[in-house]
Amino acid sequence: MREVVAFLGLGANIGDRERAIRTAVERLGVTPGIRVLRVSSLRETELVGDGPPQGMFLNGACSIATSLPASALLSVCKALELAAGRTLPAPRNHPRALDVDLLLFGEEHIDTKELTVPHPRLFERAFVLEPLRELGVSEQALSDLRPMPAPRLVTTTREFQAICSTWIEGGCLTGLVPTMGALHAGHGSLFECARKECDRVAATIFVNPKQFGPKEDLAAYPRDLPGDLRLCAKSGVDVVFAPSPAEMYAPGFASNIDVGAEGETMEGATRPGHFRGVSTVVARLFAIARPHRAYFGQKDAQQVAVLRRLVRDLGFPLRLVECPTVREADGLAMSSRNVYLDAKDRAAAPVIHRALRAAQQAFAGGLRDRDALVQVATAVLAGEPRATIDYLELRSEGDLLPLPIGPVAGGRMLAAVRFSGGRTVRLLDNMSVVASFENSGS
Ligand code: AMP
């Protein structure tokens, strides 16, 4: 039977620490499918990281040859901890009678819900590295095994698909956050939301040519991959997929998604083909990554409505999560395009937020007529000569269908407003007219 050489970390800081470690090694030696090869010397170390005050650790490592799969070896490690009197699940960085960590398993990289090998904190810890060196693990082997710093950047579909498949097969709940890069705190909030809900988070950065019209700003769209990677790292993104257009759409790519009426008004009317491009790239990303959840910003509410229909119509087995709009302190919705505003337009742009809030306040004050509510917001925007309304509509909440003339029970007001002091910048925003003022960010 094929044997793999594996390395286990051994540590304890309560009770008879040396005895607990020696007993664990003896138990390993009589476990079917395991042969103990070597045991390192033991060393005393302080707790690394935060935790309650506690005694010194005794740490070491052993090498074994095993015919067990890694998942079974992990169960053996847990059983050794239990046998030593440790209660599981144990709070992190609390005193422990015995810690047995699976550090290395041959040359394998394992990334499942239960197990990450090489052990994620191995390379930062001298008390693990020293015993490994003593057991004959070379610097070269350590450097080959060292994982790329998070987030890992991949540019090929094949690699991204393989990583996502490993996560899924390992039982991880996976989250996908599609973006066009030039990331800001609005994107950051999507990453953080995904991080809270999922075991693994993938961000994609792709300025999708299909969603730009021939006269639009594709070539000039802001790009900042180093900055984007820093934000992804800070937000706990595991992998960033940043393909080239040729990688995303192989030569001969011909299947595009026709989104129907939901994509033909408002943004769709101003930007024909926009939602066709958005839906095609998002469907392609769903097919590659097969996420359990996908995260989008409410800032682009019509995009969310179109994508909800896409998920329903094509039956993608995932949950689409809509995250609230993140704003600058003066109310302007964060957008990658805000950098294009000249100083005067930037100072004027929060008028969009004020206009939407005015409609919200009017609704709270009892105004119910659809067109009168739109008129309230129009009047605020008209007071700012730098702003030109592209569209301003009150639609039904959720599916954003047109509302009939007359009284409304609420809805979402959506605006596209142009500023042309420097170059022309079109900004989008929207707000629920029934939301409380405390929640007016969404
Ligand atoms: P983009 O890179 O502009 O395609 O945006 C990628 C995702 O981030 C989309 O789902 C957007 O709706 C979302 N997003 C953009 N700006 C914001 C914002 N200010 N707050 C929350 N989400 C946002």
Side-chain angles (χ1 to χ4, degrees):
M1 186 169 285
R2 194 178 79 93
E3 280 191 329
V4 172
V5 175
F7 292 82
L8 304 179
L10 303 158
N13 78 335
I14 43 179
D16 185 339
R17 301 168 305 169
E18 180 162 356
R19 181 143 174 264
I21 291 172
R22 302 267 174 233
T23 307
V25 174
E26 278 162 26
R27 287 188 171 132
L28 275 171
V30 295
T31 304
I34 294 180
R35 287 187 297 123
V36 175
L37 302 175
R38 291 174 65 187
V39 183
S40 76
S41 59
L42 302 179
R43 67 219 61 228
E44 278 210 299
T45 55
E46 304 247 13
L47 173 74
V48 174
D50 301 329
Q54 53 194 283
M56 297 283 281
F57 273 83
L58 200 59
N59 280 111
C62 69
S63 54
I64 60 171
T66 180
S67 55
L68 299 178
S71 55
L73 184 55
L74 178 70
S75 303
V76 170
C77 296
K78 296 249 173 298
L80 291 173
E81 291 176 349
L82 278 174
R86 181 162 169 188
T87 45
L88 296 176
R92 217 168 138 169
N93 290 347
H94 275 241
R96 75 242 359 228
L98 183 66
D99 209 5
V100 186
D101 288 335
L102 177 45
L103 303 173
L104 300 174
F105 190 79
E107 285 166 12
E108 284 187 36
H109 284 272
I110 302 169
D111 194 4
T112 68
K113 192 170 166 61
E114 287 77 30
L115 188 58
T116 308
V117 176
H119 191 280
R121 290 170 293 282
L122 179 164
F123 297 91
E124 302 136 35
R125 296 184 169 174
F127 68 81
V128 184
L129 288 171
E130 283 167 14
L132 284 179
R133 290 187 182 111
E134 195 185 318
L135 294 173
V137 179
S138 68
E139 292 307 318
Q140 186 60 48
L142 284 172
S143 126
D144 291 348
L145 283 164
R146 185 185 280 268
M148 270 201 251
R152 195 168 154 197
L153 174 65
V154 296
T155 55
T156 66
T157 305
R158 202 169 41 82
E159 217 182 339
F160 184 48
Q161 198 155 35
I163 292 169
C164 295
S165 295
T166 309
W167 290 346
I168 296 164
E169 281 149 25
C172 296
L173 189 83
T174 66
L176 180 75
V177 187
T179 81
M180 296 207 298
L183 302 179
H184 49 69
H187 300 107
S189 75
L190 306 190
F191 300 148
E192 276 152 29
C193 186
R195 182 71 281 164
K196 274 196 206 112
E197 296 183 1
C198 301
D199 300 309
R200 298 288 185 275
V201 177
T204 66
I205 296 178
F206 181 59
V207 184
N208 176 27
K210 281 184 187 284
Q211 70 191 67
F212 286 76
K215 297 205 187 94
E216 293 182 16
D217 57 348
L218 171 64
Y221 194 83
R223 289 163 168 87
D224 175 19
L225 190 58
D228 291 349
L229 292 175
R230 279 196 296 277
L231 181 70
C232 288
K234 211 173 84 190
S235 314
V237 170
D238 297 296
V239 163
V240 174
F241 177 46
S244 65
E247 181 68 29
M248 186 65 103
Y249 304 118
F253 187 100
S255 307
N256 292 288
I257 293 177
D258 197 348
V259 293
E262 256 144 343
E264 279 165 15
T265 61
M266 298 191 289
E267 279 307 281
T270 316
R271 308 179 67 188
H274 172 68
F275 287 121
R276 185 178 203 247
V278 169
S279 302
T280 303
V281 79
V282 169
R284 172 115 181 81
L285 290 170
F286 286 172
I288 299 169
R290 296 184 292 134
H292 297 100
R293 295 189 186 175
Y295 295 80
F296 296 91
Q298 197 165 54
K299 150 126 183 337
D300 300 288
Q302 193 181 4
Q303 172 170 281
V304 173
V306 166
L307 294 177
R308 280 204 193 287
R309 168 143 305 281
L310 173 91
V311 167
R312 257 198 322 271
D313 287 352
L314 299 188
F316 283 106
L318 57 84
R319 185 189 301 173
L320 199 150
V321 183
E322 188 174 356
C323 305
T325 302
V326 176
R327 298 177 181 282
E328 303 287 356
D330 59 11
L332 176 64
M334 289 193 182
S335 162
S336 306
R337 289 190 168 93
N338 290 351
V339 294
Y340 292 149
L341 293 164
D342 72 8
K344 287 184 178 154
D345 282 349
R346 173 63 191 83
V351 70
I352 310 173
H353 181 239
R354 286 201 305 280
L356 296 173
R357 285 202 52 171
Q360 199 183 55
Q361 262 154 342
F363 185 90
L367 188 64
R368 290 291 178 273
D369 182 70
R370 185 196 75 174
D371 292 342
L373 285 161
V374 172
Q375 188 46 43
V376 168
T378 306
V380 176
L381 284 161
E384 174 46 71
R386 305 185 78 86
T388 311
I389 299 174
D390 232 10
Y391 61 79
L392 182 62
E393 296 206 22
L394 183 58
R395 294 282 184 110
S396 67
E397 189 63 270
D399 46 14
L400 305 183
L401 296 174
L403 290 168
I405 292 175
V408 294
R412 183 161 288 270
M413 193 167 283
L414 302 103
V417 179
R418 265 178 292 127
F419 292 84
S420 306
R423 57 192 288 179
T424 298
V425 186
R426 248 178 113 254
L427 299 180
L428 304 188
D429 203 346
N430 65 85
M431 197 178 283
S432 168
V433 295
V434 286
S436 72
F437 296 130
E438 291 73 37
N439 292 331
S440 60
S442 51

